[in-house]
Amino acid sequence: MIILKDIKKSFNKSQVLRGINLKINRGEVVTILGPSGSGKTTLLRCLNFLERPEAGIVQIGNIQVNAKNATKKDMLSVRKQSAMVFQHYNLFAHKTVIENVMEGLVVVKKVKKREARIESEKVLEKVGLSDKLHFYPSQLSGGQQQRVGIARALALNPEVILFDEPTSALDPELVGEVLSVIKEIAQDGITMVVVTHEMSFAKEVSDRVLFMDGGVIVEEGTPLEIFHAPKEERTRRFLHRISGESFFTALKEQVN
Amino acid sequence: MTIDLPFIWIAFKEIIKALPITLILTIVPLLVGFLIGIIVALVRIYKTRFVYQAANGYVSFFRGTPIIMHIMVIYYGIPLLVDQVASKFNLNIQSSKIPIILFVLTALSLAAGAYLSEIIRSGIISVSTGQLESAYSVGMTKIQAMFRIVLPQALAQSVPNFTNIFIGFLHTSSIAFLVSEKELTGAANIVASTNLKFLEAFIAAGIIYWGLTIIVEGISFLLEKRVTSYSRGGVS
Amino acid sequence: MGKAFDPLLIIEFLPTLLHYLGVTLEILAASIFLGLILGVAAAIPRLFKIPFLNQLVILYVSFIRGTPILIQLFLVFYGLPAILMIFNIDISKLEAIYFVIITYAISNGASFSEIFRGAIRAVDKGQTEAAYSVGMTSTQNFFRIVLPQALRIAFPNMANSFIGSLKDTSLAFSIGVMDMVGRGDTLISATAHALEVYITLSIIYYAVVLLFEKIFNKLEKHFNRYQSADLSVAA
């Protein structure tokens, strides 16, 4: 379970998060939508303290931290509750695929190397990369790298997996393979928070959709509520602007 | 043994009189070297027949051997050459009349040419081919494209590297002391030996070089800002 | 310059001078090794912004990069005994070669610390974020993720520094070290064939530099074998 209470964050005098309150239940898949600058990525990064909020409480599982007087130890313990999939994959460049997935298990969770290897191979099979175990990131396509990134997060079996625009940096024809992996994971019942621009994906997979704008959560609800019956004007405007794009995205997914 | 601090200042005032020679030993080789460097860089880029290997050899040799060797070989070699040529053609040139500083300047210029050609060459390569292509597309010749479009950008981007070379040769001028040139280090040695205050004299010399280096770095910083202002604010 | 130029002497002088190449390489090896330790020690205050030590290192690096190596040689040669005298340590009988090694170590240390600092900062920030996202501490991140990649980035500059230091050793004779150039000097006094001696020395230096350049090139290729420039490989 994830609870955010009154999260505030500023960068250089401008307030990016103006008091966010949020509760996510176990097994929920929550998608965060919004225009750039709305604070959605910052919010995601506050969940694992890659950004440090000025005020508010972050709770993941049974670890609760008050952002104001959070020590390094506090931040570390919250981080261990989650795992992140990055827009630019951020695979460890000097390690092979299998080493990338094992790294967190061995170094952070102190799992024995042999067990870590078995676990990693399992997870890599799930994302369809069993034949690339000893490749280096530079030898893989973007889609393959991102799937390794997902495997790396999965292997840690965290309370929640955070996705920061996981397909935004991919060539269009590679987006599909990554989205289907993420869909599978969602169906397995893993708690997920996803920041994305892929509207049809959000519609298909989310249990709940959040729309953010100007540092606040403007509206939240089920995909049906948000996409077909938005209550707020800002939500409507955003969806209207995006509707052109999502039309083409739907076409692309059909072609794939 | 204690340090005579006031003497450092006295030494400073005496040593700094040799600054002009140091500057000559720095700037002249760099100017001559720059001309050599452009020619050599272009030869290496366009792989001009016959001269290309020679250019490679020249750069490789002068960057691969210590500068003291260059100075010594030229210092001992040129006079022999001059004497041979003079006796063959019955010219009235005596090698012993040639001022030593010319030998030093020749050696340093050849070395500078090698180092500068590398900087210019890598600067030219780093200018994107798109620039060349658009130059051709508006009808410029190879030479026009090179001198009007590519070279200016290459040089502007290379300001930090040029600064490093300038400072490098400023320091290298101190080697001329070993062939009795009265530049800063030579002057320091004289002050040191005359007064038997070696440490103080060389501290003064060190401060002078340090100060000069900092000034050069400051000028370079301002120069770089001005000269690359065209690429500000964009993502290249 | 009286005697005639005799090219055969160049060949004759080779073995005599090569005999002392070992001394030159010893000086190089010792000063590089000590310089590495010094370089790491100096990079740390800069990277972690330790107050006072940070400023000290900035001053140290600025001075070394601001003065000729010859001046540094003289400063260590005349200054070190004077400083140690304050602690009642008398090193006036110390052989010149140790002053040379100390000077070059101090000089290399400054270059290396700047190279290390640049290389560490050049490692993509995303690598560190990924490390933190799987729960690593900053120490784990530094040693397991950042440092290995920084070493690869630093390597070409380190190789250049190494070769630069090799060329700098040619100045050691000025404070009386009996290395290759020093032996060359005595050869000149004996035979008055200065030009041939210096040509021979140049050839030896050139050959050694070329050899090291080849080795470093091979090493660099080896370190970069998993970096491909083209990332658009089909799935």
Side-chain angles (χ1 to χ4, degrees), chain B residues 14-16 18 177 181-192:
Chain B
E14 188 58 36
I15 297 171
I16 203 159
F177 144 75
E181 275 300 313
K182 292 202 191 46
E183 41 68 64
L184 287 170
T185 308
N189 195 43
I190 293 176
V191 169

Side-chain angles (χ1 to χ4, degrees), chain B residues 15-204:
Chain B
I15 297 171
I16 203 159
K17 291 182 191 167
L19 183 58
I21 309 252
T22 289
L23 289 177
I24 292 177
L25 287 172
T26 307
I27 296 177
V28 170
L30 286 174
L31 287 177
V32 177
F34 186 77
L35 293 170
I36 299 178
I38 290 197
I39 298 173
V40 171
L42 291 174
V43 164
R44 294 182 74 200
I45 288 183
Y46 288 118
K47 299 201 194 326
T48 325
R49 276 172 308 158
F50 310 131
V51 256
Y52 167 60
Q53 335 283 58
N56 281 346
Y58 161 66
V59 173
S60 171
F61 180 76
F62 275 91
R63 292 180 78 230
T65 42
I67 292 192
I68 179 81
M69 292 298 144
H70 308 156
I71 295 179
M72 291 304 189
V73 168
I74 301 253
Y75 180 79
Y76 287 107
I78 302 284
L80 280 178
L81 210 65
V82 165
D83 283 342
Q84 294 267 27
V85 170
S87 64
K88 245 207 173 103
F89 295 105
N90 273 319
L91 299 167
N92 196 6
I93 309 173
Q94 280 171 287
S95 59
S96 49
K97 290 264 173 55
I98 306 177
I100 297 178
I101 197 168
L102 277 180
F103 296 132
V104 178
L105 287 172
T106 307
L108 291 177
S109 301
L110 288 172
Y115 285 100
L116 285 169
S117 85
E118 267 304 279
I119 292 179
I120 296 173
R121 195 176 70 98
S122 67
I124 290 177
I125 293 178
S126 73
V127 175
S128 75
T129 43
Q131 297 287 308
L132 252 188
E133 291 179 348
S134 36
Y136 290 153
S137 75
V138 300
M140 289 196 200
T141 65
K142 254 189 178 173
I143 297 184
Q144 284 173 321
M146 175 55 70
F147 281 94
R148 293 184 66 85
I149 304 298
V150 177
L151 218 48
Q153 292 187 50
L155 296 178
Q157 287 174 23
S158 305
V159 169
N161 286 339
F162 283 135
T163 310
N164 284 337
I165 292 283
F166 188 95
I167 293 173
F169 273 81
L170 172 66
H171 294 174
T172 303
S173 66
S174 64
I175 298 182
F177 144 75
L178 296 169
V179 291
S180 315
E181 275 300 313
K182 292 202 191 46
E183 41 68 64
L184 287 170
T185 308
N189 195 43
I190 293 176
V191 169
S193 335
T194 338
N195 296 284
L196 289 180
K197 290 196 190 288
F198 290 88
L199 185 57
E200 291 83 347
F202 287 119
I203 290 179

